[in-house]
Amino acid sequence: MTDGCPCGTPRTRGKICFVGAGPGDPDLITVKGRKLLEQAGAILYAGSLVDRAATRYAPPDCEIRDSKDMTLEEIVDWLREKAARHALVVRLQTGDPSLYGALIEMTRPLEREGFDWEVVPGISSAMASMAVARETMTLPEVTQTVILTRAAGRTSMPEGEDLESLAAHHCTLCVYLSATLIHEVQRALRAAGWREDAPLLVVQKASWQGEEKIVRGTLADIREKCQAEKIGSQAMIVASPALGSSAWETLVRSKLYDPAFTHRFRRGLRRQHESS
Ligand code: SAH
């Protein structure tokens, strides 16, 4: 991108793309994200949660740096400096950049300085956790709502978003950043009236080859099971009335695929009979 600086000299600056790397498996990046990595002059990846393998698509001369030990200011400085030298700079983030990714804190100063930036979405760890556990987030007449949230830790929760209030919906809850706060998740679910035998799922490092752990339990025993598996970080906690449904004997069918249901792309059987 070319712009004018206050002194009147034209300047060339690259674009900064905030790319979702997905949950861990380098194959779970989007095609668009991968194409950007292939063209990047510099990549700053969040090494605490993104495997360096995620940068395998980078060209050989690409400048690659792990941001694990950097402050937000240092990250912004790095992106700014590299964008002065390369046409494309990628900030590679875990999962989807819009979830717990400090996205706006990074983009605000860059936006103010007139940098061109873009976000490429990624597969969030909640989706990956459900996939590896072969579970569904929604199920007809069981739950049609998903809440992506976290337990209050060092970051407090805004009013009305405490876990207990959210759990009162009895829908699917995907709890990020709370592996060390399972007791707090249990407390909130109990306070919201979830039964002791309600199923819970905890997935650590979903989609990381050889490192993934899937723990299934109930509200009563999930904490002990996680302790036994030594799960202390990088885990997704899921509470949902739909967990385990692949083994249920009876299910309400999705209307979309019901032979009697008419929609935009298919005429339901009953209608056909009625009109014939
Ligand atoms: N933007 C990310 C979330 C970053 S916050 C996303 O969309 O997934 C970091 C939290 O995400 C972790 O504490 C954990 O709760 C979850 N997480 C990230 N990667 C994970 C993985 N591979 N498996 C399970 N949980 C993961």
Side-chain angles (χ1 to χ4, degrees), residues 23 49 94-96 99 124-125 176-177 203 205-206 208 234-236:
L49 283 164
T94 172
D96 182 80
L99 282 165
S124 186
S125 47
Y176 290 68
L177 294 160
V203 183
K205 293 194 127 180
W208 287 64
Q234 280 175 263
M236 176 63 50

Side-chain angles (χ1 to χ4, degrees), residues 206-218:
S207 86
W208 287 64
Q209 207 182 7
E211 294 183 60
E212 175 183 286
K213 282 185 189 169
I214 300 174
V215 180
R216 292 174 187 277
T218 61

Side-chain angles (χ1 to χ4, degrees), residues 16-151:
I16 303 170
C17 290
F18 295 83
V19 175
D25 179 349
D27 281 352
L28 287 178
I29 192 168
T30 62
V31 174
K32 183 165 185 176
R34 179 180 167 165
K35 280 185 186 160
L36 290 172
L37 290 178
E38 285 166 354
Q39 296 160 14
I43 299 172
L44 185 62
Y45 70 102
S48 52
L49 283 164
V50 176
D51 192 350
R52 196 185 155 89
T55 59
R56 65 165 68 157
Y57 308 114
D61 55 347
C62 182
E63 292 187 62
I64 301 178
R65 163 88 151 96
D66 181 355
S67 65
K68 208 166 34 214
D69 60 349
M70 294 164 90
T71 63
L72 194 87
E73 287 71 21
E74 287 167 342
I75 288 174
V76 173
D77 285 347
W78 198 92
L79 296 173
R80 192 189 276 124
E81 187 203 310
K82 300 303 170 198
R85 291 201 268 129
H86 300 284
L88 175 64
V89 176
V90 170
R91 164 66 176 155
L92 191 60
Q93 312 233 147
T94 172
D96 182 80
S98 75
L99 282 165
Y100 309 110
L103 179 66
I104 300 304
E105 284 135 277
M106 286 183 277
T107 59
R108 260 167 66 102
L110 297 170
E111 169 86 44
R112 255 188 248 123
E113 292 163 35
F115 280 90
D116 188 14
W117 61 277
E118 182 187 347
V119 180
V120 177
I123 297 175
S124 186
S125 47
M127 284 70 194
S129 297
M130 296 308 264
V132 300
R134 302 194 201 181
E135 294 286 355
T136 182
M137 289 198 184
T138 61
L139 199 59
E141 303 202 4
V142 176
T143 180
Q144 294 288 287
T145 304
V146 181
I147 295 177
L148 307 181
T149 189
R150 59 174 299 170

Side-chain angles (χ1 to χ4, degrees), residues 212-232:
E212 175 183 286
K213 282 185 189 169
I214 300 174
V215 180
R216 292 174 187 277
T218 61
L219 175 53
D221 65 14
I222 194 73
R223 190 177 176 197
E224 288 69 31
K225 286 192 166 173
C226 286
Q227 277 167 350
E229 290 290 336
K230 298 193 169 46
I231 289 181

